[in-house]
Amino acid sequence: MKRRTFLQHLGGAGLARTGVPPRRPNIVLMVADDLGFSDLGCYGGEIDTPNLDGLARRGVRFTQFYNAARCCPTRASLLTGLYPHQVGIGHMVETGRSDLPAYRGDLSLRAVTIAEALRAAGYHTLMVGKWHVTPVTQSRHNWPLERGFQHHYGTIYGAGSYYDPASLTRDNEPARPDRPDYYYTDAVAENAARYIEAYAAQGAPFFLYVAFTAPHWPLHAREADIAKYKGRYKQGWDALRRERHRRMIEMGLVDAHWPLTPRDPRVPAWEQAEHKEWQMRRMEVYAAMVDRMDQAVGRILTALRDHRAYDNTLILFLSDNGGCAEDLPVKPRSVPPAYIPQFTRDGRVVRRGNDPSILPGPEDTFGSYGAAWANASNTPFRLYKHWVHEGGIATPLIAHWPGRIARPGTLVDQPGHVIDIMVTCLEVAGAKYPSTRDGQAVLPLEGRSLVPILEGRRRSGHDAIFWEHEGNRAVRQGKWKLVSRYGGPWELYDMEADRTETMNLSTQRLNKTRELVELYEQWARRCGVVPWDKVRSAP
């Protein structure tokens, strides 16, 4: 069934056809990439983020919201309201397995996206930024315009240069940087503002999905933004973690009784660290990338105000996973992955990897900020992106909705998960979730609406929330969380007494451990989770 026929099947895409009442809110959903829990100013960070901080003051901040630990799985859940395995993204699109339905690496055509459902309900559906839920191939069956979006400007790949991004497209056609000083985060904001200008006054509301790649590696930033943070990190990562932790306690984001987790044992104390100037520069560039993303958010907010859409727009902002400890090797494969350019646009060789002789930031570099700074980004939690301990899955979530947020400036401690975003958007829009797609049944939504929370009420929460990624597993039920690293034993934590996961109670609470293990295994069977050894072995 063609896209237009499918939308008609869901109920039609036109305002008159659906009888849509006026003044339904616009929805702007913004996702950062590899942003740690404590990086934003309003979550305890020292990085200058006045626009997001302003949204937090006028909206609400969630303190126990969760993502799916990695780029592709989170985006799959975000777009569909289902767990990533249910829609074929149990791992990554780059490692798809056609023989394992939960790990095909291609967003299921039997799942419905937010854009498909909202467009059928009369919304304009617009996207800027990173897609990353289908392989980058000649086939465009799963590109944004085939999954309900009217327009898309951005990348299909999950990573790439900020000066010359790979797989850049406008709608379904290849695009190129259009000016010498091109910077991807700025282009995302510029095109988002253009879409707002074009659709804010067209009668029907709009859904705008803004998927930043910032601050995902490579460490690319404008020199003026980097200069703002020059010397800011001279005290090192240990002092930064203590400083952020103190502010988070003062803000009420974390409990003072939860200890700051120990420094990653692979990371030396700052006093013993080598190449301090290079190490400081890495974090300076990372901070500049977050700062520039906040400036992009400001540009989007200005467009909403300029076109009289701000007061009738629900804005949601979150991160796709925790801070990223991935280390980029100095001597990678002789032919780099397609998302890493071999040369800059003016012909210089791109210097790849985390080499202390290469100061990151310019177009001819391609590095990451490493475990030590990622550990600081995830203050006060353990571990990183990939893992399902709190450092990998805890995300800031800011919700802003003028006139509808019951208690602006407050913190929300009710647990939630990215599967909740879809059902929230549907409720806000007055849109229906279909029972079939192209004549085939679709899975029922897994999420719970956040609207009661925004209106100042406690909602009926999840019976339990689940995770699996690369053999790292977890389930949270009420205050209890059961979690394990790949190949390791189950650990049990009381999230009310110890959200930093420092006191393993699995042997003291054997009955609770067994109960949650069985709950996890039931979910894993239902969602098609396969042992990681089998997933990573050759088909």
Side-chain angles (χ1 to χ4, degrees), residues 350-424:
V350 173
R351 298 170 291 164
R352 292 172 274 152
N354 295 336
D355 185 337
S357 70
I358 302 172
L359 293 182
E363 184 174 357
D364 67 341
T365 68
F366 207 100
S368 64
Y369 77 156
W373 295 119
N375 200 183
S377 284
N378 294 335
T379 302
F381 300 130
R382 289 173 58 189
L383 296 174
Y384 318 94
K385 169 184 176 180
H386 295 261
W387 287 272
V388 295
H389 286 72
E390 295 292 282
I393 59 176
T395 175
L397 172 64
I398 300 168
H400 178 274
W401 196 4
R404 295 295 300 271
I405 299 289
R407 292 190 287 272
T410 59
L411 301 175
V412 173
D413 64 357
Q414 298 179 59
H417 188 279
V418 289
I419 54 177
D420 298 336
I421 299 298
M422 167 71 144
V423 67
T424 301

Side-chain angles (χ1 to χ4, degrees), residues 160-163 217-221 223 226 278 281 285 328 340-344 348-355 357-368:
S161 169
Y162 285 74
Y163 304 102
W217 50 257
L219 293 172
H220 282 168
E223 282 299 326
I226 300 170
W278 173 67
R281 172 76 175 196
V285 177
L328 301 187
I340 303 180
Q342 296 190 56
F343 301 95
T344 64
R348 290 171 292 152
V349 173
V350 173
R351 298 170 291 164
R352 292 172 274 152
N354 295 336
D355 185 337
S357 70
I358 302 172
L359 293 182
E363 184 174 357
D364 67 341
T365 68
F366 207 100
S368 64

Side-chain angles (χ1 to χ4, degrees), residues 176-231:
R176 295 290 302 161
D178 55 3
R179 58 177 67 97
D181 65 345
Y182 181 94
Y183 186 74
Y184 188 32
T185 303
D186 293 349
V188 165
E190 177 183 334
N191 282 273
R194 289 177 179 173
Y195 288 153
I196 292 168
E197 178 182 5
Y199 287 94
Q202 287 204 14
F206 61 82
F207 168 66
L208 174 60
Y209 177 33
V210 181
F212 292 106
T213 56
H216 192 294
W217 50 257
L219 293 172
H220 282 168
R222 297 189 185 280
E223 282 299 326
D225 291 327
I226 300 170
K228 185 175 180 179
Y229 296 93
K230 182 67 176 176

Side-chain angles (χ1 to χ4, degrees), residues 485-502:
R485 299 196 214 187
Y486 168 60
W490 285 109
E491 305 163 15
L492 180 69
Y493 298 101
D494 180 340
M495 292 283 103
E496 292 180 359
D498 175 35
R499 194 176 168 209
T500 50
E501 300 171 312
T502 60

